Amino acid sequence: MMRMWKVLTVCVLALAVFASTALADITLMTNDTTNQWWPEMEALIEESTGVQIEAITSPSNPDDRVAKFTTILASGDSSVDLININDEMITQYMAAGFLAPLEADVMRPEVSQFFDQNFMKDRYMLDGSIYGVPTYNGALTMWVNQDMLDAAGVKVPTNKEEFIEAIKAMSKPDEGVYGYGGSWEATYSHNEIGVFINLFGGDPFDWTNEKSREALQFMYDMANTWKVTSLAQLSEQYEPMNQKFFDKKYGIILQWCGWMESMAKTAGLYSPDQVHMIAMPTFETSSAFMDAWYYVLNASSQNYEEAKKVLDFIASPEFELAYLRLANQPPARSDVLGSETVRGEDYSAFKDLLDNMQLYRDNSVMRGRPMVPATMEYITVTGTLFQQFILNEITLDELGQKQLAAYEEMK
């Protein structure tokens, strides 16, 4: 009798799991399910679309996540309809033909007009088709230690000349204090390389370009000629850079807007007199990188109509307001970012985040980071070449030639 009862129990549980899965109209995979707020978001999506969702948690480790997504998409597996991916992955998957285009049914002109057009073309558009719906847009922005600027007797830099003056004035290399601090580890340096190349008006995909060469020489001079940034950062990723910034070993850094704001507030340092964000200075141009995570549609999905309804909602102001409130991430839609709604009392906790993003959207050209289908391989190769240049192991001419060869091979 006991054995029969166990068998019946297992059968009932199996039927319950099957019934739960059978009720779902689509399956989506995201790491947002690990957040406490996810059940509220899932309920909102289902209520707003009438589509029942089965949400599967994606691997938390980035390498495992890429491997999982690539296996699903490359094999033609239709068991997952929507996948939440980042900048690096969307570049690879668009080029491979793994994703369904969305411009006809979801990111229609009347919708896509509210998303940053430069960023769209750089990052999630290919050959005229749009392949993703951003859940938010962040930005890689410039941050300063105001008290270090004040102590050095210089103002917040607004152009190249003032930037050079400021980082020189704040630097005391004998004391381990530098006006500029970076993350120049081989797999991280591409962010800052791209920022400076864009500021000089160069081509991030062509380091033989004259303006690109000026930017790279500028970074070399910061480390070697002016000694306003540390060679130790060639081994540093974000965590040690952030700590040195908070410890007032670095005067100016580049860091992702919402992340740095949150960390500075947690450390009790976020204020106009201490750590705060500034507008990107204008060199030849004023330019900054955006980033995003996107929902994309598996090209092998068998539930296209239901998936489109969910993507329609993710592209809507209602979703973006909810994502701001729950995930503390800035809206991707310009009409939401600049709306009276987000300036109201209900969103007052997000004022600094929204003001910082609006400052960059208003004053800088926002671009996507330069990536190729073999993204991580390209980043590692070019980051290693950049380090060799900074360490005087190769010349600027050699750096440009080797980078261009890597780009041509991996694009």
Side-chain angles (χ1 to χ4, degrees), residues 206-225:
D206 180 5
W207 296 4
T208 67
N209 174 284
E210 191 57 40
K211 294 296 184 181
S212 301
R213 287 168 57 89
E214 286 183 39
L216 293 160
Q217 183 64 49
F218 185 86
M219 298 178 79
Y220 175 93
D221 287 339
M222 283 199 294
N224 291 290
T225 306

Side-chain angles (χ1 to χ4, degrees), residues 2 41 75 83 124 126 139 177 179 196-197 205 207 209 214 234 236 239 250 257 279 286 295 351 365 395 400 409:
M2 181 60 71
M41 177 62 80
S75 66
I83 303 179
Y124 57 105
L126 181 66
V177 176
F196 281 104
I197 286 178
F205 289 116
W207 296 4
N209 174 284
E214 286 183 39
L234 292 173
E236 289 182 358
E239 286 75 12
Y250 292 157
C257 177
S286 177
Y295 273 100
K351 183 180 185 303
V365 176
T395 66
E409 179 182 348

Side-chain angles (χ1 to χ4, degrees), residues 91 203-207 370-374 377-379 381-382 385 399-411:
T91 303
D203 181 349
F205 289 116
D206 180 5
W207 296 4
M371 295 180 182
V372 298
E377 182 181 357
Y378 176 75
I379 285 172
V381 168
T382 55
L385 290 172
L399 172 64
Q401 292 162 6
K402 290 176 182 290
Q403 174 276 327
L404 197 56
Y407 171 70
E408 292 296 334
E409 179 182 348
M410 300 178 200
K411 70 178 181 180

Side-chain angles (χ1 to χ4, degrees), residues 90-124:
I90 200 168
T91 303
Q92 174 184 346
Y93 298 154
M94 285 191 305
F98 294 161
L99 309 179
L102 304 173
E103 70 279 357
D105 300 311
V106 178
M107 295 294 277
R108 307 174 301 280
E110 63 269 26
V111 176
S112 63
Q113 65 175 317
F114 295 111
F115 294 83
D116 189 277
Q117 300 300 296
N118 285 319
F119 181 66
M120 182 186 299
K121 291 173 184 175
D122 285 346
R123 184 53 50 241
Y124 57 105

Side-chain angles (χ1 to χ4, degrees), residues 160-173:
K160 181 176 70 175
E161 290 71 26
E162 291 173 357
F163 180 82
I164 295 171
E165 179 186 11
I167 57 178
K168 285 183 175 179
M170 287 187 287
S171 293
K172 301 175 184 177

Side-chain angles (χ1 to χ4, degrees), residues 201-361:
D203 181 349
F205 289 116
D206 180 5
W207 296 4
T208 67
N209 174 284
E210 191 57 40
K211 294 296 184 181
S212 301
R213 287 168 57 89
E214 286 183 39
L216 293 160
Q217 183 64 49
F218 185 86
M219 298 178 79
Y220 175 93
D221 287 339
M222 283 199 294
N224 291 290
T225 306
W226 308 325
K227 301 188 186 304
V228 295
T229 197
S230 172
L231 288 175
Q233 69 197 25
L234 292 173
S235 64
E236 289 182 358
Q237 299 181 357
Y238 282 149
E239 286 75 12
M241 180 193 75
N242 295 337
Q243 191 58 53
K244 289 181 179 180
F245 182 58
F246 290 150
D247 291 342
K248 304 192 188 306
K249 298 296 184 181
Y250 292 157
I252 295 176
I253 63 169
L254 292 168
Q255 189 51 281
W256 297 103
C257 177
W259 189 26
M260 175 51 67
E261 178 203 326
S262 177
M263 288 189 294
K265 286 181 175 178
T266 299
L269 297 173
Y270 186 86
S271 77
D273 299 324
Q274 296 185 82
V275 169
H276 64 97
M277 196 195 81
I278 64 171
M280 188 68 76
T282 300
F283 286 26
E284 294 289 328
T285 68
S286 177
S287 178
F289 284 145
M290 272 187 170
D291 76 317
W293 279 71
Y294 316 81
Y295 273 100
V296 296
L297 178 58
N298 182 355
S300 299
S301 170
Q302 302 299 306
N303 302 305
Y304 189 64
E305 293 303 321
E306 294 80 3
K308 282 195 304 182
K309 292 178 182 178
V310 173
L311 289 172
D312 269 332
F313 179 68
I314 292 171
S316 73
E318 291 77 16
F319 174 88
E320 293 218 338
L321 288 171
Y323 207 75
L324 169 63
R325 177 173 55 84
L326 296 173
N328 191 32
Q329 292 288 4
R333 288 181 60 125
S334 59
D335 58 335
V336 177
L337 181 63
S339 69
E340 291 298 321
T341 301
V342 297
R343 302 299 167 185
E345 185 176 345
D346 290 346
Y347 294 89
S348 58
F350 309 102
K351 183 180 185 303
D352 293 328
L353 176 66
L354 296 168
D355 285 349
N356 287 341
M357 277 303 301
Q358 193 69 61
L359 177 67
Y360 270 66
R361 294 284 285 267

